């Protein structure tokens, strides 16, 4: 799992005066802010880690976004390990 990691996205809150699609979604769900980090597996986007807070909570910081990025990388490593173990399990029963 080498390569450069994309940091978690941060910067929009439901309080922003010009609503983007993400801001509109936050408002619709009753959330105040969110941080999103990609889960990258084998060099491709597998999913995303999405964490949101209610409007009365303080917005996420860049440190929170960094933590989300690391957590997403740990999730990706766990998924990759599970895939490898499944392959070993298959080989154990099928390899002559």
């Amino acid at each position: 799992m080498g390569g450069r990691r994309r940091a978690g996205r941060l910067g929009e809150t439901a309080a922003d005066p010009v609503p983007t699609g993400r801001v509109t979604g936050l408002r619709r769900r009753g959330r105040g802010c969110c941080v999103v980090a990609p889960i990258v597996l084998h060099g491709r986007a597998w999913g995303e880690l999405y964490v949101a807070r209610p409007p009365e909570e303080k917005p996420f910081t860049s440190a929170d976004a960094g933590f989300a990025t690391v957590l997403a990388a740990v999730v990706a490593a766990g998924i990759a390990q599970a895939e490898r173990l499944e392959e070993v399990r298959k080989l154990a029963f099928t390899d002559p």
Side-chain angles (χ1 to χ4, degrees):
M1 283 191 21
R4 193 170 162 217
R5 304 239 182 273
R6 184 173 165 215
R9 249 189 357 228
L10 177 68
E12 294 176 307
T13 69
D16 288 348
V18 179
T20 62
R22 190 171 300 275
V23 169
T24 302
L26 284 170
R27 290 177 181 167
R28 187 175 57 247
R29 292 177 185 90
R31 302 293 181 209
C33 63
C34 69
V35 63
V36 181
I39 298 173
V40 179
L41 192 61
H42 309 300
R44 299 183 67 164
W46 185 89
E48 67 182 16
L49 175 70
Y50 176 91
V51 183
R53 286 185 175 160
E56 61 274 6
E57 296 288 327
K58 65 178 185 161
F60 289 105
T61 65
S62 59
D64 295 325
F67 181 76
T69 301
V70 171
L71 187 56
V74 171
V75 168
I79 294 167
Q81 181 66 14
E83 286 180 348
R84 283 191 290 275
L85 288 173
E86 181 59 27
E87 184 62 27
V88 168
R89 199 171 292 126
K90 285 178 184 175
L91 288 172
F93 292 106
T94 61
D95 195 27

